[in-house]
Amino acid sequence: MAEIRPPIISNIKVNLQGKVALVTGAARGIGRAIAISLAKDGADIVLNDIDEEALKKTAEEIKALGRKVLPVKADVSKWDEVKKMVDEAIKYFGHIDILVNNAGIVGPFKPVHEISESEWDKVLAVNLKGAFLVIKAVVPHMIKQKYGKIINISSVAGVEGNAKMAPYCASKAGLIGLTKSLAEELAPYGIRVNAICPALVEKTALTEGMPPEQRKFLAQKIPLGRLCKLEEVADLVKFLASEAADFITGYAYMLAGGRARCH
């Protein structure tokens, strides 16, 4: 079956000319939507994913928008690969202004006592440790320039929890804690750190790859009665990356259709 790569429709416009954004997990789905949306408003993009073929396709889409793009295959859970990616990005662009930690996996859908240690470790390694490692590599460069926007893609599951998804929920809750800690730590350097917590998002490999039982279970928990749209996530990222959000840091935005209202 051919891969479905829907167009990205953005409802807001900001000026990101001269900015460089690093987006992890950017080959498809939410990451692709974010990367294309940022590029449409002038940002040059460092694209990261482990899927090299899909990464190249997204890179071509961004090039077609007239923006510079550096696709880098790297596993965010491995420090050596992350460090090499960031070093390469700095060598190519000279700076990184925006970091979007989007790379993530959903993990198993089963009772906690049936989850193996390796399943637990894999989810936490990508979703939480991965964000930490990329931040660790990027922050020294942001400190030097006394500017940066870090946006972590968490989940409403990190606030409210979902039965039979313990590793995923724990990793996303940890990402919110990391966001709040770093917002306070990095504020003196002009670096803002925020999180976005979507409910289930439509047209993603993660959503489509879920067992039907799991997808139905999560969709029924959204009061507005529909899934979150890709462009809704991308638009909120774009707002947080813009000058309009310069006085916002340490906040976790609920993009959840009423399932959770503040954090």
Side-chain angles (χ1 to χ4, degrees):
M1 181 181 293
E3 180 183 4
I4 298 174
R5 301 174 72 81
I8 306 304
I9 302 169
S10 180
N11 298 315
I12 64 172
K13 294 293 181 182
V14 300
N15 183 8
L16 298 176
Q17 294 287 334
K19 304 297 185 186
V20 174
L22 166 55
V23 184
T24 69
R28 54 168 61 88
I30 295 173
R32 170 181 169 269
I34 291 168
I36 291 175
S37 180
L38 294 174
K40 282 184 174 181
D41 281 326
D44 294 320
I45 309 293
V46 183
L47 287 175
N48 159 256
D49 209 285
I50 58 171
D51 186 336
E52 194 168 16
E53 192 62 31
L55 199 61
K56 289 178 181 177
K57 291 180 181 178
T58 300
E60 289 303 318
E61 291 179 87
I62 291 173
K63 285 180 184 177
L65 296 171
R67 306 312 312 165
K68 293 179 181 177
V69 59
L70 176 66
V72 184
K73 179 183 178 182
D75 183 340
V76 296
S77 70
K78 297 178 180 178
W79 171 245
D80 289 347
E81 294 188 27
V82 169
K83 181 66 164 57
K84 183 179 178 182
M85 171 180 66
V86 173
D87 287 348
E88 187 177 347
I90 293 296
K91 183 178 179 180
Y92 189 81
F93 286 114
H95 55 104
I96 296 172
D97 307 290
I98 302 160
L99 167 60
V100 184
N101 280 307
N102 169 73
I105 57 175
V106 68
F109 182 63
K110 55 188 176 183
V112 66
H113 59 279
E114 295 179 7
I115 296 170
S116 68
E117 182 179 2
S118 63
E119 287 174 321
W120 176 275
D121 287 346
K122 184 177 180 180
V123 175
L124 271 290
V126 176
N127 295 5
L128 184 55
K129 179 185 174 184
F132 157 69
L133 291 180
V134 181
I135 289 168
K136 175 179 170 65
V138 169
V139 158
H141 302 285
M142 289 185 169
I143 288 175
K144 287 180 183 178
Q145 65 196 25
K146 296 191 180 301
Y147 176 85
K149 297 290 186 82
I150 298 174
I151 302 157
N152 297 317
I153 306 302
S154 180
S155 169
V156 68
V159 178
E160 290 200 334
N162 288 324
K164 298 183 180 181
M165 294 179 68
Y168 182 80
C169 295
S171 69
K172 293 301 186 178
L175 203 51
I176 293 171
L178 179 63
T179 297
K180 293 185 174 185
S181 173
L182 293 179
E184 186 170 341
E185 178 180 333
L186 299 175
Y189 305 103
I191 302 170
R192 288 79 166 173
V193 189
N194 292 288
I196 296 175
C197 305
L200 196 63
V201 181
E202 65 182 14
K203 298 178 183 178
T204 69
L206 185 148
T207 300
E208 297 304 317
M210 285 180 179
E213 173 195 359
Q214 183 182 16
R215 192 162 57 246
K216 182 179 179 182
F217 165 72
L218 295 176
Q220 287 177 339
K221 299 179 81 169
I222 303 173
L224 280 182
R226 67 167 175 85
L227 303 189
C228 181
K229 298 177 182 179
L230 286 169
E231 58 267 25
E232 290 171 330
V233 183
D235 278 349
L236 186 48
V237 168
K238 189 159 54 173
F239 165 70
L240 290 172
S242 74
E243 292 182 358
D246 276 357
F247 200 61
I248 300 172
T249 193
Y251 198 77
Y253 281 81
M254 298 300 112
L255 192 60
R259 181 177 163 188
R261 285 163 282 282
C262 65
H263 203 265

